[in-house]
Amino acid sequence: MNNLEELLVRGDKRAIARAITYAENYEEKAKEIIKKLYKRSGSAYIIGITGPPGVGKSTLTDKLVKNLIEKGNKIGVIAIDPTSPFTGGSILGDRIRMQDLSLHPNVYIRSMGTRGHLGGLSKGTYMATRILDIAGMDYVFIETVGVGQSEIDIVKIADTVVMVLAPGLGDDVQAIKAGIMEIGEIFVVNKSDREGSDKTVVELNMMLDLDDTKDWRPPVVKTIAYENKGINELIDKIFAHREYLIASGNLEKKRNQRLRMEIIETVKNKLMNNVFEKIQQKDFDFKLQEVIDKKIDPYTFADELYRDIFNKNL
Amino acid sequence: MERPIRVLVAKPGLDGHDRGAKVIARALREAGMEVIYTGLRQTPEQIVEAAIQEDVDVVALSILSGAHNTLFPKITKLLKERGVDDVLVIGGGVIPEEDIPFLKEHGIAEIFTPGTPTSAVIEYIKQHVKRAVEK
Ligand SMILES: Nc1nc2c(ncn2[C@@H]2O[C@H](COP(=O)(O)OP(=O)(O)OP(=O)(O)O)[C@@H](O)[C@H]2O)c(=O)[nH]1
Ligand SMILES: [Mg+2]
């Protein structure tokens, strides 16, 4: 092990931070670390916290983490926010709600931008999660914004997905239910100090009762995150879900599926990189002009490009 | 391929509003940077810890309370103690001209006073980040 790797397995925060930087930039160094230390991973329990913007995901995460560190756990948090597709920039503001966790020796928090990756995760998320696992975290929280089916990659990476909603989303609950009902393994109605929370709970329960094919019926928990209310109950439900996953054999299935995804994602990202490098080159624009001028058709061009990149036919 | 520059925008001290910090945060985002925004009333210890955990290239400090002469050097000192030497630290806000040399002596690379266009800050950061952005 080199110095960084040694510090990493000891849970040193600077080492974790640098390793995650390698991961989010998709540098070879991140892979080198994981290749060497893979056997040390596998003990972290991964919790996804997702839901529409502003419902209180970060505040809730802050409280859940505080609860779990009191029980002696080490915790990593990855908070993912969308990157602007226009500028490539982003403002990552989830730490605001977790300020006093910053200095806790057993907590590490990292903000990530999606950087153009689809599905609501950053493409470095699998590696970053594994790095936190290697660093000895008992729990890894991943916060993502999710309002629909385009952002459901969180279910592929998390052991337990907590879907956070708030009252007053009203018709939105209808609108997004197609996207959310299959995702949540636990539903939270946060901001229960607000009017309409009971109605939201009833609506959710009705929708959840429609699907009686599953052997885990997602519970609905009411919370007031910034007053630390309902947090114990939510923790209990998370533990109950974990117990269910273990007892039913589904935890193993889920994790095998995650490994499959991790491998496929890595190859996919590499391929995409190759493609992007190609289309950034000058002859792409030149060829494109030929398509515009109708000298060749777009599909012939696509075939040629593919052959060019992969050395075989599309 | 280029990676985005990561900047921690932080407000040390007790002053109560963060309009200036938000303006700069947005401008940096528009310039394609990843801005980690931590909100009001940060202690130097919290700022340094956030900079380390987020592995940022730049720490941009914004202050209005007048406590810059104590808070800014405290932050650079803590960074040094933690062995962080590849982070660019810059400051902005209501800072009198005559305090600037003192702050620069204490590791603040540049000070931007009110009225500086955000484009100047962006340019400065791009020119002076210490870690490679090409990968
Ligand atoms: N009324 C009420 N407000 C809350 C509650 N929990 C959080 N908030 C507030 O809701 C706002 C958003 O909270 P966040 O925790 O940042 O929400 P978020 O879902 O992480 O937001 P994004 O990451 O921006 O999508 C903040 O002003 C919180 O103080 C609650 O239980 N009741
Ligand atoms: Mg948040």
Side-chain angles (χ1 to χ4, degrees):
Chain A
M1 276 195 271
N2 64 28
N3 196 25
L4 178 73
E5 288 159 359
E6 254 163 46
L7 289 168
L8 180 64
V9 296
R10 271 192 262 141
D12 177 79
K13 291 190 196 178
R14 272 189 81 197
I16 298 173
R18 191 49 55 93
I20 292 183
T21 297
Y22 295 149
E24 77 174 346
N25 294 330
Y26 237 67
E27 288 179 56
E28 282 303 314
K29 284 183 207 150
K31 266 186 250 162
E32 295 303 316
I33 292 169
I34 294 172
K35 282 176 190 173
K36 256 197 237 165
L37 302 176
Y38 169 64
K39 287 189 185 132
R40 291 174 181 263
S41 65
S43 50
Y45 194 80
I46 300 165
I47 300 167
I49 306 285
T50 193
V55 289
K57 300 180 292 297
S58 301
T59 314
L60 205 59
T61 303
D62 177 70
K63 296 300 187 289
L64 290 170
V65 171
K66 279 182 183 140
N67 191 298
L68 288 169
I69 40 180
E70 272 169 27
K71 300 184 166 85
N73 294 293
K74 291 175 77 179
I75 296 175
V77 178
I78 299 174
I80 305 171
D81 279 316
T83 297
S84 158
F86 304 107
T87 65
S90 51
I91 294 183
L92 313 174
D94 297 312
R95 277 194 100 93
I96 299 174
R97 316 279 169 225
M98 309 183 200
Q99 282 203 31
D100 33 306
L101 284 179
S102 260
L103 292 171
H104 196 286
N106 290 345
V107 181
Y108 173 90
I109 304 169
R110 178 65 168 244
S111 316
M112 293 174 96
T114 53
R115 297 192 183 176
H117 191 257
L118 301 175
L121 301 179
S122 151
K123 76 175 170 189
T125 312
Y126 280 97
M127 282 203 267
T129 306
R130 209 167 266 294
I131 285 162
L132 289 170
D133 193 347
I134 288 167
M137 300 301 172
D138 299 297
Y139 293 89
V140 175
F141 283 82
I142 304 176
E143 177 188 337
T144 61
V145 183
V147 282
Q149 269 155 336
S150 59
E151 288 139 327
I152 58 168
D153 280 4
I154 189 76
V155 299
K156 298 177 190 157
I157 196 165
D159 295 318
T160 296
V161 177
V162 179
M163 170 61 73
V164 188
L165 299 166
L169 292 171
D171 293 343
D172 290 359
V173 174
Q174 290 294 335
I176 59 187
K177 75 171 184 205
I180 63 167
M181 295 320 274
E182 302 89 61
I183 298 174
E185 282 149 332
I186 295 167
F187 284 82
V188 170
V189 178
N190 189 40
K191 305 198 183 182
S192 284
D193 49 324
R194 293 225 181 130
E195 210 179 310
S197 59
D198 287 327
K199 190 167 160 262
T200 308
V201 172
V202 169
E203 278 174 5
L204 279 172
N205 276 321
M206 270 164 53
M207 285 187 233
L208 290 165
D209 283 335
L210 290 179
D211 183 4
D212 53 9
T213 58
K214 287 184 193 151
D215 45 1
W216 169 261
R217 157 62 156 86
V220 181
V221 184
K222 272 168 73 169
T223 61
I224 306 173
Y226 66 3
E227 288 174 10
N228 204 26
K229 292 209 172 112
I231 304 302
N232 280 329
E233 198 193 343
L234 178 53
I235 295 266
D236 287 345
K237 297 296 183 204
I238 293 171
F239 287 167
H241 184 244
R242 181 173 60 181
E243 290 310 312
Y244 153 76
L245 286 176
I246 294 168
S248 62
N250 284 340
L251 187 63
E252 211 183 312
K253 271 192 217 151
K254 249 188 171 182
R255 290 188 168 181
N256 295 348
Q257 187 59 23
R258 185 200 306 162
L259 267 177
R260 183 192 296 268
M261 285 308 302
E262 188 169 357
I263 295 161
I264 294 171
E265 278 285 307
T266 307
V267 176
K268 211 164 78 182
N269 285 328
K270 209 158 184 158
L271 290 179
M272 287 308 287
N273 267 356
N274 287 344
V275 174
F276 280 123
E277 268 165 29
K278 270 281 183 247
I279 64 178
Q280 275 169 1
Q281 287 167 11
K282 278 230 176 59
D283 35 332
F284 182 91
D285 290 343
F286 180 78
K287 256 298 190 333
L288 183 66
Q289 192 58 48
E290 292 193 344
V291 180
I292 296 166
D293 296 340
K294 299 211 160 142
K295 285 184 191 149
I296 59 166
D297 68 276
Y299 294 93
T300 303
F301 180 24
D303 285 345
E304 276 177 25
L305 199 60
Y306 185 90
R307 232 173 292 137
D308 215 24
I309 297 168
F310 301 114
N311 253 322
K312 64 178 201 231
N313 288 327
L314 188 68
Chain B
M1 290 256 279
E2 242 179 57
R3 64 173 180 87
I5 295 171
R6 284 169 65 84
V7 186
L8 178 74
V9 172
K11 273 199 68 71
L14 297 174
D15 49 299
H17 83 78
D18 57 354
R19 204 178 316 129
K22 280 184 172 155
V23 168
I24 191 67
R26 278 190 219 110
L28 298 179
R29 175 187 59 188
E30 295 314 304
M33 298 180 195
E34 254 170 29
V35 180
I36 293 99
Y37 188 65
T38 49
L40 290 166
R41 296 191 192 90
Q42 297 279 291
T43 65
E45 287 78 8
Q46 285 173 325
I47 292 169
V48 167
E49 192 57 41
I52 287 172
Q53 293 184 20
E54 298 288 352
D55 200 20
V56 292
D57 300 286
V58 184
V59 174
L61 302 169
S62 160
I63 201 162
L64 302 169
S65 64
H68 47 271
N69 281 344
T70 47
L71 292 174
F72 285 13
K74 179 118 196 256
I75 290 162
T76 47
K77 182 167 160 263
L78 285 170
L79 281 169
K80 212 173 190 174
E81 280 172 15
R82 300 285 296 271
V84 180
D85 54 8
D86 54 2
V87 174
L88 180 71
V89 184
I90 58 175
V94 189
I95 294 167
E97 209 56 50
E98 64 262 28
D99 290 346
I100 294 177
F102 170 81
L103 293 173
K104 287 191 171 174
E105 264 167 48
H106 286 83
I108 312 296
E110 192 55 273
I111 296 289
F112 299 93
T113 46
T116 315
T118 51
S119 57
V121 182
I122 292 163
E123 216 27 59
Y124 184 86
I125 289 175
K126 285 185 175 166
Q127 301 277 327
H128 292 86
V129 279
K130 298 182 183 175
R131 278 152 59 189
V133 290
E134 290 287 327
K135 49 157 179 150

PDB file of all heavy atoms in Angstrom, chain A residues 148-161:
ATOM      1  N   GLY A 148     -38.651  12.175 -10.811  1.00  0.00           N
ATOM      2  CA  GLY A 148     -39.290  11.338 -11.820  1.00  0.00           C
ATOM      3  C   GLY A 148     -38.426  10.168 -12.225  1.00  0.00           C
ATOM      4  O   GLY A 148     -37.398   9.884 -11.607  1.00  0.00           O
ATOM      5  N   GLN A 149     -38.863   9.506 -13.263  1.00  0.00           N
ATOM      6  CA  GLN A 149     -38.228   8.268 -13.658  1.00  0.00           C
ATOM      7  C   GLN A 149     -36.832   8.449 -14.247  1.00  0.00           C
ATOM      8  O   GLN A 149     -36.093   7.493 -14.380  1.00  0.00           O
ATOM      9  CB  GLN A 149     -39.120   7.536 -14.663  1.00  0.00           C
ATOM     10  CG  GLN A 149     -40.058   6.600 -13.950  1.00  0.00           C
ATOM     11  CD  GLN A 149     -41.310   6.323 -14.741  1.00  0.00           C
ATOM     12  OE1 GLN A 149     -41.703   7.104 -15.588  1.00  0.00           O
ATOM     13  NE2 GLN A 149     -41.940   5.208 -14.450  1.00  0.00           N
ATOM     14  N   SER A 150     -36.516   9.702 -14.604  1.00  0.00           N
ATOM     15  CA  SER A 150     -35.206   9.909 -15.206  1.00  0.00           C
ATOM     16  C   SER A 150     -34.109   9.931 -14.154  1.00  0.00           C
ATOM     17  O   SER A 150     -32.946   9.965 -14.468  1.00  0.00           O
ATOM     18  CB  SER A 150     -35.198  11.226 -15.975  1.00  0.00           C
ATOM     19  OG  SER A 150     -35.512  12.279 -15.094  1.00  0.00           O
ATOM     20  N   GLU A 151     -34.500   9.927 -12.894  1.00  0.00           N
ATOM     21  CA  GLU A 151     -33.475  10.082 -11.854  1.00  0.00           C
ATOM     22  C   GLU A 151     -33.456   8.926 -10.874  1.00  0.00           C
ATOM     23  O   GLU A 151     -33.215   9.106  -9.695  1.00  0.00           O
ATOM     24  CB  GLU A 151     -33.721  11.383 -11.090  1.00  0.00           C
ATOM     25  CG  GLU A 151     -33.392  12.604 -11.923  1.00  0.00           C
ATOM     26  CD  GLU A 151     -34.423  13.691 -11.720  1.00  0.00           C
ATOM     27  OE1 GLU A 151     -35.597  13.349 -11.502  1.00  0.00           O
ATOM     28  OE2 GLU A 151     -34.045  14.859 -11.783  1.00  0.00           O
ATOM     29  N   ILE A 152     -33.715   7.723 -11.362  1.00  0.00           N
ATOM     30  CA  ILE A 152     -33.917   6.628 -10.420  1.00  0.00           C
ATOM     31  C   ILE A 152     -32.686   5.758 -10.209  1.00  0.00           C
ATOM     32  O   ILE A 152     -32.779   4.705  -9.588  1.00  0.00           O
ATOM     33  CB  ILE A 152     -35.111   5.742 -10.833  1.00  0.00           C
ATOM     34  CG1 ILE A 152     -34.889   5.191 -12.232  1.00  0.00           C
ATOM     35  CG2 ILE A 152     -36.408   6.527 -10.750  1.00  0.00           C
ATOM     36  CD1 ILE A 152     -35.865   4.086 -12.577  1.00  0.00           C
ATOM     37  N   ASP A 153     -31.529   6.223 -10.676  1.00  0.00           N
ATOM     38  CA  ASP A 153     -30.343   5.394 -10.487  1.00  0.00           C
ATOM     39  C   ASP A 153     -30.007   5.159  -9.025  1.00  0.00           C
ATOM     40  O   ASP A 153     -29.281   4.228  -8.693  1.00  0.00           O
ATOM     41  CB  ASP A 153     -29.138   6.005 -11.206  1.00  0.00           C
ATOM     42  CG  ASP A 153     -29.165   5.680 -12.687  1.00  0.00           C
ATOM     43  OD1 ASP A 153     -30.151   5.058 -13.139  1.00  0.00           O
ATOM     44  OD2 ASP A 153     -28.220   6.046 -13.400  1.00  0.00           O
ATOM     45  N   ILE A 154     -30.542   5.994  -8.167  1.00  0.00           N
ATOM     46  CA  ILE A 154     -30.318   5.821  -6.728  1.00  0.00           C
ATOM     47  C   ILE A 154     -30.748   4.425  -6.276  1.00  0.00           C
ATOM     48  O   ILE A 154     -30.128   3.836  -5.401  1.00  0.00           O
ATOM     49  CB  ILE A 154     -31.058   6.931  -5.933  1.00  0.00           C
ATOM     50  CG1 ILE A 154     -30.664   6.904  -4.448  1.00  0.00           C
ATOM     51  CG2 ILE A 154     -32.570   6.834  -6.063  1.00  0.00           C
ATOM     52  CD1 ILE A 154     -29.317   7.462  -4.146  1.00  0.00           C
ATOM     53  N   VAL A 155     -31.782   3.873  -6.901  1.00  0.00           N
ATOM     54  CA  VAL A 155     -32.243   2.536  -6.475  1.00  0.00           C
ATOM     55  C   VAL A 155     -31.232   1.452  -6.821  1.00  0.00           C
ATOM     56  O   VAL A 155     -31.217   0.389  -6.211  1.00  0.00           O
ATOM     57  CB  VAL A 155     -33.615   2.125  -7.084  1.00  0.00           C
ATOM     58  CG1 VAL A 155     -34.709   3.090  -6.677  1.00  0.00           C
ATOM     59  CG2 VAL A 155     -33.540   2.016  -8.598  1.00  0.00           C
ATOM     60  N   LYS A 156     -30.389   1.741  -7.804  1.00  0.00           N
ATOM     61  CA  LYS A 156     -29.424   0.722  -8.196  1.00  0.00           C
ATOM     62  C   LYS A 156     -28.240   0.672  -7.239  1.00  0.00           C
ATOM     63  O   LYS A 156     -27.528  -0.310  -7.175  1.00  0.00           O
ATOM     64  CB  LYS A 156     -28.929   0.986  -9.617  1.00  0.00           C
ATOM     65  CG  LYS A 156     -30.042   0.917 -10.647  1.00  0.00           C
ATOM     66  CD  LYS A 156     -29.510   1.254 -12.025  1.00  0.00           C
ATOM     67  CE  LYS A 156     -30.649   1.421 -13.017  1.00  0.00           C
ATOM     68  NZ  LYS A 156     -30.239   2.248 -14.162  1.00  0.00           N
ATOM     69  N   ILE A 157     -28.026   1.758  -6.532  1.00  0.00           N
ATOM     70  CA  ILE A 157     -26.826   1.816  -5.689  1.00  0.00           C
ATOM     71  C   ILE A 157     -27.137   1.652  -4.201  1.00  0.00           C
ATOM     72  O   ILE A 157     -26.319   1.152  -3.446  1.00  0.00           O
ATOM     73  CB  ILE A 157     -26.043   3.116  -5.986  1.00  0.00           C
ATOM     74  CG1 ILE A 157     -24.614   3.051  -5.441  1.00  0.00           C
ATOM     75  CG2 ILE A 157     -26.748   4.346  -5.457  1.00  0.00           C
ATOM     76  CD1 ILE A 157     -23.707   4.111  -6.003  1.00  0.00           C
ATOM     77  N   ALA A 158     -28.351   2.057  -3.789  1.00  0.00           N
ATOM     78  CA  ALA A 158     -28.660   2.052  -2.348  1.00  0.00           C
ATOM     79  C   ALA A 158     -29.240   0.725  -1.886  1.00  0.00           C
ATOM     80  O   ALA A 158     -29.915   0.033  -2.642  1.00  0.00           O
ATOM     81  CB  ALA A 158     -29.631   3.181  -2.033  1.00  0.00           C
ATOM     82  N   ASP A 159     -28.974   0.371  -0.629  1.00  0.00           N
ATOM     83  CA  ASP A 159     -29.627  -0.790  -0.029  1.00  0.00           C
ATOM     84  C   ASP A 159     -31.062  -0.427   0.359  1.00  0.00           C
ATOM     85  O   ASP A 159     -31.979  -1.189   0.135  1.00  0.00           O
ATOM     86  CB  ASP A 159     -28.857  -1.250   1.212  1.00  0.00           C
ATOM     87  CG  ASP A 159     -27.459  -1.760   0.856  1.00  0.00           C
ATOM     88  OD1 ASP A 159     -27.332  -2.485  -0.150  1.00  0.00           O
ATOM     89  OD2 ASP A 159     -26.503  -1.425   1.569  1.00  0.00           O
ATOM     90  N   THR A 160     -31.205   0.755   0.948  1.00  0.00           N
ATOM     91  CA  THR A 160     -32.535   1.248   1.311  1.00  0.00           C
ATOM     92  C   THR A 160     -32.739   2.633   0.710  1.00  0.00           C
ATOM     93  O   THR A 160     -31.896   3.510   0.884  1.00  0.00           O
ATOM     94  CB  THR A 160     -32.688   1.345   2.845  1.00  0.00           C
ATOM     95  OG1 THR A 160     -32.588   0.040   3.413  1.00  0.00           O
ATOM     96  CG2 THR A 160     -34.040   1.965   3.232  1.00  0.00           C
ATOM     97  N   VAL A 161     -33.835   2.813  -0.025  1.00  0.00           N
ATOM     98  CA  VAL A 161     -34.131   4.122  -0.596  1.00  0.00           C
ATOM     99  C   VAL A 161     -35.248   4.800   0.201  1.00  0.00           C
ATOM    100  O   VAL A 161     -36.343   4.258   0.345  1.00  0.00           O
ATOM    101  CB  VAL A 161     -34.569   4.022  -2.069  1.00  0.00           C
ATOM    102  CG1 VAL A 161     -34.951   5.405  -2.604  1.00  0.00           C
ATOM    103  CG2 VAL A 161     -33.460   3.426  -2.915  1.00  0.00           C
TER     104      VAL A 161
END
